[in-house]
Amino acid sequence: MTDRRRSPLPGEDPASTAAVPRGLRIAAAFAWRFLLVIAALYVVVWLVGRLSVVVVPVSIALLLSALMAPAVSHLVTIRVPRGLATALVLVAGLAILGGLLTFVIIQFTDGLPQLQTQLNSSLSQVRDWLVNDLHLRQEQIQQFIDNAISYLQHNQAAITTNALTTASTVGEILTGFLLTLFVTIFFLAGGDRIWSFLMLGAPRPVRNRLDVAGRRGFASLVAYVRATAAVAVVDAVGIGIGLWIVRVPLVVPLATLVFLGAFVPILGAVVAGAVAVLVALVTNGFVTALIVLGIVILVMQLESHILQPLLLGRAVKLHPLAVVLAIATGLVVAGIAGALLAVPLLAVLNSGIRSLLHETDPHPEEVDVLHDQEAAAPNDDPEEVVEGQR
């Protein structure tokens, strides 16, 4: 007959724990370990929040490095010194960014008078609709306007305080931009040496595995940034052409907003499209707004069913639910910066953790192969970069 007496857990005292059911002890063991993990994560999030002025620029610099690293590597392969290659790529990137911002500002300034005229016309139409269709009196509308003006006057102090806060925010943004530029230069010029130095702190038995996992994570980041940039360009061009066809003002600024919004998957495109529809509604009326809404939905469907699976699907291998939850968590924890960085962080962790869990210790030459190919083939599956050499 089988002995059904339970065996004690490792390290437990049978005399003192005999009255506690085994399942409860196992649940308690999981519970306190789970609480420790949550406490550690809370401390990490708290530290990131306290150091956000440094963490956010460094994170953005890492994204920019992932975007520019293939160009620098290509120049290095044709015997351009790495320092000169870094300078050329950075100057070209800043020139493109500065030219784009200047063009957008000029277009917005030129289109502002037309937008103001159309806005006044739309407000007049709304006022006529309120008077003729809803049978509101002119005095009621004027009273509402007067109340709004009175509210602004009585809250002038709060508005002034917010303006000062905004000025201080502009200073923080400028400081963050300079820090981002400085860190990006060092990441592009000596990122491999920085990573090798960090690997010296890892235990020697697992150093190669950690090295390969980190490089695969960066390869996933390169693939994600390049694929996202391609999707953003398609979204901006598609919606921009549609806005130009239906003669909505401020086409270039709105298309630029769509391009920037595409770097926040799903939510960014929705918000940018909603702004385009709102501008069309205010300036050109209800019918034009419906047409713009149809254009936005069509471009979003093209992105969701063709571009995302074709480009991002192979690049990062993340389920759409994981993407949405990551963005929502990042938005709650760190606002817009968290929403922007959540999916790249998830892609890097996904690739690195999969490498650690499913790979044996790589040979040293495989580490060198991954180092040589991580920038040369950024759109390939990061795990296949090493697997193809075995």
Side-chain angles (χ1 to χ4, degrees), residues 232-249:
V233 169
V234 174
D235 289 349
V237 171
I239 293 179
I241 291 175
L243 295 175
W244 177 75
I245 292 175
V246 297
R247 299 184 181 279
V248 174

Side-chain angles (χ1 to χ4, degrees), residues 28-29 54 91-92 117 318 342 384:
V54 177
V91 170
T117 301
L318 295 177
E384 294 175 358

Side-chain angles (χ1 to χ4, degrees), residues 6-95:
R6 68 167 184 87
S7 58
L9 293 174
E12 73 174 352
D13 182 7
S16 62
T17 61
V20 181
R22 180 183 176 87
L24 182 58
R25 290 197 304 277
I26 294 176
F30 276 109
W32 71 260
R33 289 176 173 85
F34 176 77
L35 291 177
L36 283 179
V37 171
I38 295 298
L41 290 177
Y42 177 80
V43 171
V44 170
V45 172
W46 180 81
L47 286 176
V48 169
R50 295 286 295 179
L51 301 175
S52 60
V53 178
V54 177
V55 173
V56 173
V58 171
S59 301
I60 295 177
L62 189 60
L63 290 177
L64 294 177
S65 301
L67 181 62
M68 299 179 182
V72 174
S73 298
H74 177 71
L75 291 177
V76 171
T77 56
I78 59 176
R79 299 184 182 278
V80 176
R82 177 167 287 274
L84 179 59
T86 300
L88 291 175
V89 172
L90 276 176
V91 170
L94 290 176

